[in-house]
Amino acid sequence: MKIQAAKVVITCPGRNFVTLKIETDQGVYGIGDATMNGRELAVASYLEDHVIPCLIGMDPRRIEDIWQYLYRGAYWRRGPVTMRAIAAVDMALWDIKAKMAGMPLYQLLGGRSRDGVMVYGHANGADIEETVDAVGKYIDMGYKAIRAQTGVPGIKDAYGVGRGVLHYEPADAQLPSVSGWDTRKALNHTPKLFEKLRDTYGFDHHLLHDGHHRYTPQEAANLGKMLEPFQLFWFEDCTPAENQEAFKLVRQHTTTPLAVGEVFNTIWDCKDLIENQLIDYIRTTVVGAGGITHLRRIADLASLYQVRTGCHGATDLSPVTMGCALHFDTWVPNFGIQEYMRHSEETDEVFPHDYHFADGHLHCGETPGHGVDIDEALAAKYPYKPAYLPVARLEDGSMWNW
Ligand SMILES: O=C(O)C(=O)C[C@H](O)[C@H](O)CO
Ligand SMILES: [Mg+2]
């Protein structure tokens, strides 16, 4: 069996997605997601110009060998572009292998570990009252877990406050827009949101919050401590994680569970965090961290230290990633939770899939493969449209972490 052809499909049904399609000499094809929000064309080129020429003629059944070939063979290892390109190949090859085996991907990984995958949605609002109302809408939709983000008085475009209820697309301009930040205002305001949420809805639902890399370790420890009475499911990206040791400082001061990893690309980005139990959930994704093959390695390491998975699942991760993630989540023994920002209707039409939402959980389908396809004719109707993530500046104009 040989890889006969491969191509990159770039489409923009409301937002940009990069998809790799690998075709074999036996008529079976597989697809993988390669989307990197705000830098999509870099990954498309990496695939078209440097990966696809190497793949032609290879045996698509040799998933591990191809993974090692693309990882070691790049010489320049570990970056987000490289690992997304490897992820797209990996997802497509697992799709092919499962189709050839005539079984849904989760069966190939080791079978079902749970009936459904608990997910969380994004509730947000311009102020506390709006966010409390948005959380109520998610509860009414049957969600067991809800992330809550709110506007902060005095901060321009606080993170996570979108224009719609069901999904939030931060890549909002053809050149980076500028949002504001002020830690003191956020520290004063955020605990009030969760106090109001617990007063309103009690403790029967999981509440999550995303710090989005905005705090120093001491500030993150301070906020984590202030949030303890509200029993969060997790406080995510509390501080930038390039320095994994920084989490020791946070961990010393708060029992609020910590989650990190959506911007990680390999196991090396989180090895110390996991081995020192500095986090409770690892957020690495199928698309961001080298595909199913590498994400399994991260999950296995995490399982040794009672760290659970909590894959990132924002709208900029395509339905192909969501499909693969759900098969992974259905199998992985140390599952925690799956983020689920719903895609737009146009996106779901371009990427027909067999997963579905019910009672606060997502359920992958039984279709052989990962259960997601791409309608290339429809995809062609949505040409690429440059879109950047915002940048953040402090009140004195200093650059900060968006
Ligand atoms: O969903 C989350 O937790 C995010 O932090 C969303 C990110 O801002 C988004 O995926 C960036 O493209
Ligand atoms: Mg996040």
Side-chain angles (χ1 to χ4, degrees):
M1 188 172 187
K2 292 193 181 314
I3 293 173
Q4 188 165 290
K7 62 178 161 185
V8 172
V9 179
I10 302 177
T11 182
C12 187
R15 61 146 296 103
N16 293 310
F17 294 108
V18 177
T19 306
L20 172 69
K21 183 170 187 176
I22 294 179
E23 297 169 284
T24 68
D25 59 357
Q26 295 190 19
V28 180
Y29 69 87
I31 63 173
D33 182 20
T35 307
M36 181 157 82
N37 202 0
R39 296 295 186 274
E40 294 86 359
L41 299 185
V43 188
S45 165
Y46 192 101
L47 283 165
E48 284 172 333
D49 299 325
H50 304 300
V51 169
I52 289 174
C54 304
L55 292 178
I56 306 303
M58 283 188 174
D59 181 343
R61 295 169 296 186
R62 299 182 62 172
I63 297 177
E64 186 67 59
D65 183 62
I66 290 174
W67 196 98
Q68 297 295 334
Y69 176 94
L70 294 175
Y71 181 79
R72 298 168 189 266
Y75 189 73
W76 315 107
R77 301 180 178 189
R78 298 175 59 187
V81 173
T82 302
M83 297 314 294
R84 268 174 169 78
I86 293 175
V89 174
D90 192 74
M91 285 185 234
L93 297 182
W94 277 106
D95 194 21
I96 290 166
K97 191 175 276 289
K99 285 174 178 176
M100 295 297 287
M103 59 177 73
L105 178 54
Y106 75 84
Q107 291 289 14
L108 220 51
L109 297 175
R112 187 178 288 280
S113 300
R114 54 197 54 81
D115 296 329
V117 169
M118 182 172 73
V119 295
Y120 72 89
H122 280 205
N124 62 72
D127 56 30
I128 288 177
E129 192 180 340
E130 262 190 35
T131 304
V132 170
D133 185 49
V135 169
K137 287 189 171 62
Y138 273 93
I139 291 174
D140 294 344
M141 285 188 280
Y143 281 76
K144 314 297 183 198
I146 303 113
R147 185 188 91 163
Q149 309 287 142
T150 182
V152 177
I155 291 184
K156 175 178 177 286
D157 299 334
Y159 166 70
V161 181
R163 285 169 286 284
V165 171
L166 275 187
H167 66 278
Y168 156 62
E169 177 47 68
D172 59 1
Q174 296 206 0
L175 282 175
S177 57
V178 183
S179 62
W181 183 252
D182 179 276
T183 296
R184 179 48 44 202
K185 288 173 182 164
L187 288 176
N188 290 337
H189 196 67
T190 303
K192 294 172 188 166
L193 167 66
F194 289 94
E195 182 178 24
K196 182 69 177 169
L197 285 169
R198 288 306 190 198
D199 288 350
T200 307
Y201 300 116
F203 286 75
D204 291 343
H205 296 84
H206 298 302
L207 294 178
L208 304 88
H209 185 65
D210 193 345
H212 222 259
H213 325 280
R214 304 288 166 95
Y215 301 97
T216 65
Q218 184 277 334
E219 293 161 351
N222 183 7
L223 180 53
K225 203 164 184 59
M226 290 194 284
L227 293 173
E228 283 176 10
F230 313 119
Q231 292 297 303
L232 264 61
F233 184 88
W234 80 33
F235 174 22
E236 169 191 347
D237 282 334
C238 68
T239 193
E242 292 95 323
N243 173 16
Q244 298 181 47
E245 276 206 62
F247 279 69
K248 283 182 183 169
L249 198 155
V250 184
R251 207 55 159 180
Q252 282 162 2
H253 294 283
T254 181
T255 57
T256 293
L258 302 176
V260 74
E262 69 181 53
V263 298
F264 292 172
N265 311 302
T266 71
I267 200 165
W268 304 107
D269 296 332
C270 48
K271 178 176 175 293
D272 296 348
L273 287 166
I274 290 170
E275 291 180 343
N276 294 295
Q277 295 178 289
L278 299 180
I279 55 174
D280 302 281
Y281 299 93
I282 183 63
R283 300 257 298 137
T284 39
T285 65
V286 179
V287 64
I292 296 277
T293 298
H294 195 60
L295 192 62
R296 286 205 300 184
R297 296 207 153 92
I298 294 172
D300 286 345
L301 173 67
S303 69
L304 301 182
Y305 298 93
Q306 302 190 67
V307 173
R308 287 171 283 184
T309 64
C311 293
H312 178 215
T315 43
D316 46 287
L317 282 65
S318 92
V320 181
T321 284
M322 183 53 76
C324 289
L326 291 176
H327 284 272
F328 171 84
D329 294 337
T330 300
W331 156 75
V332 70
N334 51 320
F335 171 74
I337 198 166
Q338 170 66 51
E339 178 175 2
Y340 176 41
M341 283 174 76
R342 292 172 188 245
H343 291 104
S344 65
E345 277 181 31
E346 304 103 309
T347 296
D348 285 341
E349 284 163 9
V350 171
F351 294 96
H353 53 267
D354 66 354
Y355 58 80
H356 72 281
F357 175 85
D359 189 31
H361 294 70
L362 274 175
H363 301 267
C364 63
E366 294 296 318
T367 312
H370 54 47
V372 187
D373 204 345
I374 184 167
D375 180 330
E376 291 185 61
L378 195 53
K381 292 181 177 171
Y382 299 103
Y384 171 74
K385 190 175 162 209
Y388 280 82
L389 287 170
V391 297
R393 289 189 180 274
L394 300 177
E395 291 181 348
D396 70 357
S398 312
M399 274 302 297
W400 197 244
N401 311 312
W402 177 76

